[in-house]
Amino acid sequence: MNQGEGHAIVPELNDWSTSRLLTTAARIVEHSWNEKLLGIGITHAGLTTLGVLEREGTLTGVRLAQLVHVQAQTVGRTLDRLEKRGLVTRLRNTADRRSQRITITSAGLKALERAKNIENELMAEDGLASEDLRDRLKTVINELGPKKD
């Protein structure tokens, strides 16, 4: 496929910084995924959150926010939407009444499976399944993301 085939070519892209290219590409990809995920009632943020809960099990809101790499109030809004759809449950932590224990539900697991199928289709359609691209993005995240203690 030629560069820009089937898409409008933006000539000034050559003048953009790498960070601007990366953030613009991320917004475009997320918007595309959100359009497809609407059919199952979640957003890309919801998909990420459900994926972390499936992998890690029950978590506090603070720990979930850390693993999703967002602020606690941001994950809180995502959890509000997921809880209304019955995809997660939030229970007060008996050890610390200020925190909650968040768990993915069976409906959440089903929605996550459907979302993963949509994501896999989009990755293949949009040429985002390249291992080279994935490796480069992982390097950026590891180098610029929060450091683990």
Side-chain angles (χ1 to χ4, degrees), residues 28-117:
I28 290 168
V29 168
E30 187 165 6
H31 179 75
S32 176
W33 285 349
N34 281 339
E35 284 181 341
K36 303 278 186 189
L37 293 171
L38 274 177
I40 57 174
I42 64 173
T43 62
H44 190 255
L47 167 62
T48 302
T49 302
L50 290 174
V52 168
L53 288 169
E54 177 195 42
R55 183 183 72 239
E56 299 291 327
T58 300
L59 296 168
T60 65
V62 170
R63 182 66 182 138
L64 179 59
Q66 290 170 340
L67 293 171
V68 175
H69 300 286
V70 297
Q71 297 294 318
Q73 58 264 45
T74 302
V75 84
R77 288 189 298 271
T78 300
L79 289 170
D80 288 343
R81 290 189 296 272
L82 294 173
E83 187 176 37
K84 284 178 187 168
R85 296 196 53 79
L87 305 179
V88 299
T89 58
R90 292 192 276 192
L91 300 171
R92 287 271 171 231
N93 186 346
T94 54
D96 179 356
R97 303 279 303 153
R98 296 169 296 171
S99 74
Q100 298 177 339
R101 307 282 298 156
I102 298 123
T103 305
I104 190 170
T105 65
S106 60
L109 290 170
K110 289 176 189 165
L112 179 60
E113 190 60 36
R114 289 178 60 200
K116 285 179 182 178
N117 290 335

